[in-house]
Amino acid sequence: MDEFTRNPPIYLSYSFSFLSFTTVWQDWVHKMALDLRMISRSDYDDHPDNKASHCAAKIAEYYQKYDAQKGTQFVFSDLGTFKPNEWNVYSEIKRKLVENYHIPPQEVRFIQESKRRLPVGP
């Protein structure tokens, strides 16, 4: 009998713990790349080279490029959710767009602000 069949609970327990650790680690790495403040707002400040800053710059670039046509952009992040009156990456990008790129705040909106709800299904 090999070691796995003699002691499966120990091996499986170790495997589950390792996978859990890996999942948490990957989540932290993605958040750190987007904006270190997603990990700890008190320990980190804004950084001009984080992904949120690059995203705001690219959005502003397209805004200026298509302003004459009144173009619309949709931005989605799989990390974080817009929550009014709370720090989140969406509000941070909007802050950067308004303060750094002088985009009028009423032109940056969040889907969660919509009051209109469409029916779902047939």
Side-chain angles (χ1 to χ4, degrees), residues 2 11-12 46 49-51 55 63 71 74 84-85 97 99 103 106 109-110 114 116-119:
D2 65 14
Y11 181 79
L12 293 175
D46 189 16
D49 206 27
N50 64 27
K51 285 186 179 180
C55 181
Y63 177 87
F74 290 92
N85 306 315
L97 291 170
E99 291 178 10
I103 295 175
Q106 68 273 14
R109 303 302 307 262
F110 303 107
S114 174
R116 183 171 180 220
R117 299 288 182 235
L118 297 175

